[in-house]
Amino acid sequence: MTFKTWFAAIIACVLITGNNAEAQNLVNYVQPMAGTAIATTASALKHGSELTGARFANTIPAVTLPFAMTQWTPQTQISETKCVPPYYYQDKVFYGFRGSHWISGSCMQDYGSFSVMPITGQLKTTNYGANFEHVDEMSAPHLYSINLKQYQLHAAITGTERCGLMQFTADKTDSLYLLVKANSDYHEGYIRFNAKTGEISGYNPAHRIYQGWGKSAGFNGYFVIKFEKSIGNTGTYVNDKLFKTDSVKNDAGAGIYAGFKLNKGEKLTIRIGTSFTSLAGARKNLQAEAPDFNFDRVAATAKAKWEKTLGQITLTTTNERDKRIFYTSYYHAMQQPRLFNDVDGKYPRFAGNYQTEQLAGGNYYDDFSMWDIYRAQIPLFEILNPPFINNLSKSLLLKGKQAGWMPIFPCWNSYTSEMIGDHTTSVISSAYLKGITDFDAKEAYQILRRNAFEQPASHADYVEGKGRRALDSYLKYKYIPVEDSVLDAFHKMEQVSRTMEYAYDDFALAQYAKSLKNTTDYNALMQRSKYYANVFDKSTGLVRGRHADGSWITPFKPDQKETYITEGTPRQFTFYVPHDVSGLAKLMGGATKLEQALDSLFNKGEYWHGNEPGHQIPFMYNYSPSPWKTQAAVRKILAAEYSDGPGGLGGNDDAGQMSAWYMFAAMGFYPVNPVSGEYMLCAPLFDKVSVSLPGQKKFEIVCHKGSGDAAYIRAVSWNGKPYNRNFIRYQDMMKGGKLDIYLQSQPNKQWGSKPQNQSAL
């Protein structure tokens, strides 16, 4: 049987089992390999090379379901090393399937992972990798398969939220061995074969990075494997040494081998349950989600779930490439945050020490790449799935209640204080202000307030990552001076960027305080929200490092990476004032000066799309006399920074933020200020976008093009009436309705240019 014939047979079974004759087959537009190669965009080549891993999107070809606990991926890298994903497109050797907890598109770490490698013929436990070419692979969100010619074996994997099924098909009669390893870089993995049950189980302890680097994260990645056939030959190994013991622990290169005899064309299917609480939890998850060995049914169910989810947004266009990029972005935007609880509601306590908590309802999530995703990825699901946002908000609040302080960047269920800002404040405030309020509003406010107004009494707690970094300097000076090196943080210094991001978070919390009629806090926080102005140097028109005595740091290099700026330059970070663009414009000398400053950034080639602080910049022309320049800039970025090739993402996808930006921009609107509920309009890529909303409502965007190259807005109507604003509000969109956008080939320099038609923020 050829590889194509074999894979076609699997697909046919999946489609028949799924009984989904009317399926749109949107999964066919998803390209999981996108972002697995070195970025080739001009922006990445110019700005990304100085940051470790920044020229890789660092996505993986994950077989998964939206926001699932475990992703299943081919493994070409065998470690859990920071910034090294399990799979690189450039690699040529396959080392098995991995049950992965890689944070998609990140420069972080995998954790609690394990791998299963199939080989045939004589048993070997070293040098077992199989050479492959990409024509040997087929990759989809619900199913991955590979033709291992070296072993005359086909292997495939599918999955559920917490479980995976692997299927191995022999191309010749031979012995099949499965090598099972816990991928512990700390040599702390444990694996055991139970002869009575025929089960292999194990765990891989998770460790922290950033604050508390190397310390235990207080939980394990557990896995339980059940086999369709009885194991004929088993044992343990450490590198090339074989043992007849039933378990192995704390050894590098250690694992268990399980042997079978397969005839030509015969299949072996295995089921794997995963958990973060216990082996018992992994077994419960497996019994609930994959109780038998019906590989085709599980794959069909996964495909149907993806079709339903992707089908919430339907596109009308003749450009198939744009659809591929869009639905691939959609897939990437649904990798994290990660489901962390078992089917019975048990989950590991946040920042705990192997304690288990019990949910009263809903789900518990972790792995929030918060500095990235508060900008667009989470706002996307405020529209698409408000109940999911409720779950995220409640999960974040549980962390704050269990450990005393809201985490800054909660990953691997721990404090990290990675990156800067305090953007759980943005996420929860935004949800509450949009009416997504299935939590105790006053209790939530107090937890958020503590981060904004207090610091831990214990220095040890602060070092662990609790509380805002450098809050004392921020409150004392009304900016963070360069003398405060922010030593107790992974990202040290970066004082100007911290000042600006805290100012945004203070604005977000101020709106929450206002809604609770807490006037005292509202006034104090609104005053603090203007602190960004204290690092704006009017003599240069840009932000700049400042000493404690008020003097500016010299020499000033606006287009070079500086220690007081986070992953960028002063010119790039000057535009990070999402909550007060009109205030920034006033500092610059008015809206026209803002426009000129934006022009300068783009004309100098200093816009860097591959990193998040600039993602709002193209839409800021909507606050200037020339909104048409937003339409032009966004179209250029969509064309230059995204493609459907493996190297087509211009930087780390960062848990879906880069992808969510594409989705918003391609649909024609974007949340410059996520907490405001306002979205800046631009020219959509598609002829029609239809978004299914809760309550059987639809939000439709219909483009009327005057010509084939029409990319500028001539006029807009909302539900059949002229609409002159250059933004749309959340509450209007969520009621459902139709936005007609009329495009022409030349700029309409009048549309949306009057101050009364622009956001006041």
Side-chain angles (χ1 to χ4, degrees):
M1 180 184 292
T2 67
F3 176 67
K4 288 185 178 179
T5 303
W6 171 81
F7 189 78
I10 285 184
I11 293 295
C13 289
V14 167
L15 292 175
I16 292 169
T17 307
N19 192 27
N20 193 9
E22 297 182 2
Q24 300 177 70
N25 288 322
L26 295 178
V27 294
N28 292 343
Y29 288 98
V30 177
Q31 297 189 323
M33 292 294 171
T36 62
I38 296 174
T40 56
T41 67
S43 175
L45 294 173
K46 177 172 181 177
H47 298 291
S49 59
E50 296 175 30
L51 290 174
T52 302
R55 284 185 57 199
F56 287 86
N58 282 352
T59 56
I60 59 175
V63 172
T64 186
L65 288 177
F67 310 107
M69 175 179 285
T70 302
Q71 284 73 48
W72 306 94
T73 180
Q75 175 178 270
T76 65
Q77 298 286 324
I78 59 176
S79 76
E80 292 184 334
T81 303
K82 182 181 182 292
C83 293
V84 179
Y87 181 98
Y88 279 130
Y89 193 81
Q90 66 201 28
D91 293 339
K92 302 298 182 183
V93 181
F94 172 84
Y95 291 105
F97 291 128
R98 181 186 295 197
S100 174
H101 306 117
W102 175 255
I103 298 173
S104 178
S106 75
C107 189
M108 290 188 259
Q109 63 175 9
D110 205 342
Y111 64 90
S113 73
F114 62 95
S115 60
V116 178
M117 175 66 191
I119 64 173
T120 59
Q122 185 176 355
L123 173 64
K124 54 182 176 180
T125 53
T126 59
N127 300 317
Y128 51 74
N131 295 325
F132 74 100
E133 298 176 357
H134 294 301
V135 294
D136 299 325
E137 300 176 286
M138 297 291 280
S139 183
H142 64 295
L143 183 67
Y144 171 91
S145 64
I146 186 168
N147 180 9
L148 300 174
K149 296 175 181 176
Q150 181 174 327
Y151 292 119
Q152 297 187 49
L153 188 71
H154 289 81
I157 189 163
T158 188
T160 68
E161 278 84 359
R162 302 171 178 87
C163 305
L165 271 73
M166 299 178 190
Q167 189 173 85
F168 309 100
T169 305
D171 291 341
K172 66 172 182 176
T173 299
D174 205 343
S175 296
L176 168 69
Y177 289 95
L178 301 181
L179 309 180
V180 182
K181 294 181 64 176
N183 298 328
S184 174
D185 286 352
Y186 288 84
H187 307 158
E188 293 178 354
Y190 171 80
I191 313 176
R192 177 175 181 263
F193 170 66
N194 186 324
K196 291 182 179 179
T197 63
E199 172 190 277
I200 291 177
S201 60
Y203 59 79
N204 179 0
H207 290 263
R208 296 167 63 182
I209 61 172
Y210 306 129
Q211 291 298 96
W213 197 309
K215 292 183 179 179
S216 169
F219 68 96
N220 298 331
Y222 296 93
F223 60 92
V224 170
I225 307 176
K226 293 185 180 292
F227 300 86
E228 188 178 22
K229 305 177 189 298
S230 297
I231 299 175
N233 179 24
T234 189
T236 61
Y237 65 89
V238 178
N239 297 318
D240 60 353
K241 294 181 173 59
L242 305 182
F243 307 94
K244 279 299 180 182
T245 56
D246 66 356
S247 65
V248 64
K249 184 178 182 180
N250 297 347
D251 277 309
I256 281 183
Y257 62 88
F260 305 85
K261 184 73 173 181
L262 292 187
N263 294 319
K264 181 178 180 180
E266 190 177 1
K267 291 179 170 60
L268 171 70
T269 302
I270 68 174
R271 299 183 290 130
I272 308 173
T274 66
S275 171
F276 292 126
T277 66
S278 64
L279 293 175
R283 292 188 186 98
K284 285 182 181 179
N285 294 338
L286 187 58
Q287 181 60 34
E289 294 184 358
D292 58 40
F293 293 93
N294 194 325
F295 184 95
D296 295 336
R297 186 179 66 220
V298 172
T301 300
K303 181 178 186 293
K305 288 182 178 179
W306 274 112
E307 289 291 349
K308 181 179 179 180
T309 302
L310 296 171
Q312 191 173 352
I313 303 176
T314 59
L315 309 173
T316 302
T317 179
T318 58
N319 190 319
E320 294 291 283
R321 176 182 177 275
D322 288 347
K323 286 182 74 172
R324 288 195 297 270
I325 299 171
F326 185 92
Y327 286 113
T328 299
S329 296
Y330 202 173
Y331 156 82
H332 281 149
M334 289 187 285
Q335 305 291 311
Q336 278 86 40
R338 181 187 312 286
L339 178 65
F340 236 71
N341 60 281
D342 295 333
V343 292
D344 61 2
K346 291 181 180 177
Y347 67 97
R349 181 182 181 87
F350 179 73
N353 185 23
Y354 291 91
Q355 302 103 316
T356 298
E357 299 287 343
Q358 179 70 50
L359 288 169
N363 286 315
Y364 175 79
Y365 292 87
D366 196 65
D367 286 350
F368 290 80
S369 189
M370 192 61 79
W371 187 73
D372 311 289
I373 63 175
Y374 82 94
R375 305 165 195 266
Q377 191 255 1
I378 286 181
L380 179 67
F381 291 96
E382 289 180 328
I383 298 168
L384 298 176
N385 194 346
F388 174 63
I389 298 299
N390 257 324
N391 268 293
L392 296 188
S393 297
K394 291 165 72 174
S395 298
L396 291 168
L397 291 167
L398 280 173
K399 300 175 199 299
K401 286 192 284 187
Q402 289 171 7
W405 297 83
M406 287 301 296
I408 301 300
F409 193 97
C411 291
W412 38 98
N413 211 36
S414 300
Y415 286 106
T416 65
S417 287
E418 163 62 340
M419 303 309 296
I420 63 172
D422 185 19
H423 301 315
T424 53
T425 299
S426 173
V427 169
I428 295 171
S429 297
S430 178
Y432 181 74
L433 293 167
K434 291 179 174 69
I436 306 171
T437 57
D438 187 21
F439 50 84
D440 186 319
K442 292 183 179 179
E443 179 186 52
Y445 178 78
Q446 289 303 317
I447 296 171
L448 296 174
R449 186 188 188 280
R450 189 177 193 192
N451 267 35
F453 285 91
E454 302 176 34
Q455 284 198 293
S458 162
H459 183 65
D461 281 348
Y462 181 73
V463 171
E464 278 291 289
K466 299 179 180 181
R468 288 188 184 182
R469 307 293 92 178
L471 179 65
D472 50 353
S473 289
Y474 177 74
L475 296 179
K476 177 180 179 180
Y477 296 97
K478 301 181 181 179
Y479 63 95
I480 302 174
V482 294
E483 284 78 6
D484 186 342
S485 296
V486 199
L487 295 177
D488 291 311
F490 181 73
H491 276 242
K492 297 171 174 53
M493 298 178 281
E494 302 181 0
Q495 300 91 338
V496 167
S497 297
R498 290 180 197 278
T499 299
M500 299 177 78
E501 297 208 13
Y502 287 161
Y504 165 74
D505 294 321
D506 288 340
F507 174 86
L509 191 58
Q511 309 317 302
Y512 198 161
K514 183 179 180 181
S515 72
L516 296 178
K517 296 182 171 53
N518 186 336
T519 304
T520 300
D521 277 6
Y522 170 75
N523 290 334
L525 289 163
M526 283 302 291
Q527 184 179 16
R528 285 165 49 172
S529 76
K530 305 290 186 180
Y531 283 3
Y532 72 88
N534 296 329
V535 291
F536 183 87
D537 175 15
K538 290 185 179 180
S539 70
T540 62
L542 300 169
V543 297
R544 185 173 179 179
R546 197 170 190 182
H547 293 287
D549 65 5
S551 61
W552 299 107
I553 194 169
T554 56
F556 180 52
K557 301 174 183 177
D559 296 318
Q560 293 187 21
K561 291 181 173 64
E562 296 284 0
T563 60
Y564 55 80
I565 297 293
T566 300
E567 296 183 0
T569 68
R571 188 182 307 279
Q572 291 163 352
F573 228 99
T574 292
F575 299 97
Y576 183 81
V577 190
H579 61 291
D580 190 22
V581 180
S582 59
L584 176 64
K586 288 178 183 177
L587 287 175
M588 290 179 168
T592 299
K593 291 293 186 182
L594 170 65
E595 178 186 349
Q596 292 171 357
L598 290 165
D599 289 344
S600 178
L601 178 80
F602 284 105
N603 291 339
K604 289 175 178 288
E606 288 299 317
Y607 176 71
W608 179 18
H609 191 68
N611 212 19
E612 280 69 20
H615 276 189
Q616 78 286 349
I617 290 176
F619 297 91
M620 290 174 68
Y621 281 115
N622 273 21
Y623 298 84
S624 82
S626 299
W628 66 269
K629 291 183 179 179
T630 280
Q631 299 151 39
V634 169
R635 278 298 179 93
K636 288 180 181 177
I637 294 165
L638 287 170
E641 299 294 339
Y642 298 87
S643 81
D644 57 351
L649 276 169
N652 292 171
D653 194 46
D654 288 319
Q657 168 58 27
M658 287 277 289
S659 292
W661 189 99
Y662 180 91
M663 292 177 68
F664 269 121
M667 289 190 291
F669 59 106
Y670 186 83
V672 167
N673 177 1
V675 80
S676 71
E678 295 179 350
Y679 306 81
M680 300 299 110
L681 296 178
C682 63
L685 277 185
F686 305 107
D687 297 329
K688 182 179 178 180
V689 177
S690 181
V691 182
S692 296
L693 301 173
Q696 306 296 312
K697 298 172 185 175
K698 281 192 179 294
F699 171 52
E700 293 183 330
I701 303 170
V702 180
C703 281
H704 306 268
K705 297 181 180 180
S707 62
D709 62 348
Y712 294 97
I713 297 175
R714 176 175 63 82
V716 177
S717 68
W718 173 243
N719 291 331
K721 297 180 180 179
Y723 189 85
N724 296 317
R725 294 176 183 155
N726 65 16
F727 64 95
I728 188 169
R729 291 195 171 105
Y730 180 84
Q731 60 264 36
D732 296 327
M733 186 191 314
M734 297 304 287
K735 293 175 184 176
K738 182 181 178 185
L739 193 70
D740 286 285
I741 300 180
Y742 298 85
L743 301 181
Q744 61 187 30
S745 58
Q746 296 299 317
N748 177 357
K749 297 184 179 181
Q750 302 305 312
W751 181 84
S753 63
K754 295 179 180 178
Q756 62 265 34
N757 294 326
Q758 298 179 350
S759 172
L761 295 175

